[in-house]
Amino acid sequence: MDTAAAASGDPPPASVVKTVRVEIKGRVQGVGFRDWTMENAEDLGLRGWVRNRRNGSVEALFSGSLENVEEMVERRCRIGSPAAAVTAVTSFPSNEDPGLDFHYKNTL
């Protein structure tokens, strides 16, 4: 806890929560990408979901601390699972409720 905040009686600053919807393109289906996403999101303590899209992409919703969401989107998703070949990652801010955990959604 910040000693200045403790001395003044002010509560510590709230953690910033970020929620984004992400589309990942490339060779990302049939290569374990959703399972890999699930494992990485859980490792980072993120909430949300992942699903395949009929257009061949993978879509996900990530919600959690600013640092962990950025780690997932900007670093991990750009590399992907070992058998994947990611060509593009696009993210958009979202107000969607991520739920209480990280889970799979049906293909859309």
Side-chain angles (χ1 to χ4, degrees), residues 2-94:
D2 181 4
T3 55
S8 70
D10 293 334
S15 175
V16 175
V17 174
K18 181 175 185 174
T19 303
V20 296
R21 186 180 292 240
V22 179
E23 182 179 26
I24 303 108
K25 294 183 178 179
R27 190 178 73 234
V28 293
Q29 290 190 14
V31 293
F33 198 93
R34 287 181 303 148
D35 291 339
W36 174 90
T37 301
M38 176 76 81
E39 291 172 14
N40 278 267
E42 289 175 341
D43 285 348
L44 291 170
L46 301 178
R47 295 179 299 138
W49 49 261
V50 62
R51 68 176 162 205
N52 283 338
R53 297 289 306 234
R54 287 191 180 95
N55 67 4
S57 68
V58 168
E59 181 180 30
L61 183 79
F62 300 118
S63 185
S65 72
L66 179 66
E67 297 81 14
N68 287 354
V69 170
E70 288 181 354
E71 166 71 22
M72 186 69 186
V73 175
E74 298 302 327
R75 292 176 192 83
R76 298 185 187 199
C77 283
R78 292 194 184 280
I79 297 167
S81 63
V86 176
T87 59
V89 176
T90 308
S91 68
F92 309 91
S94 177

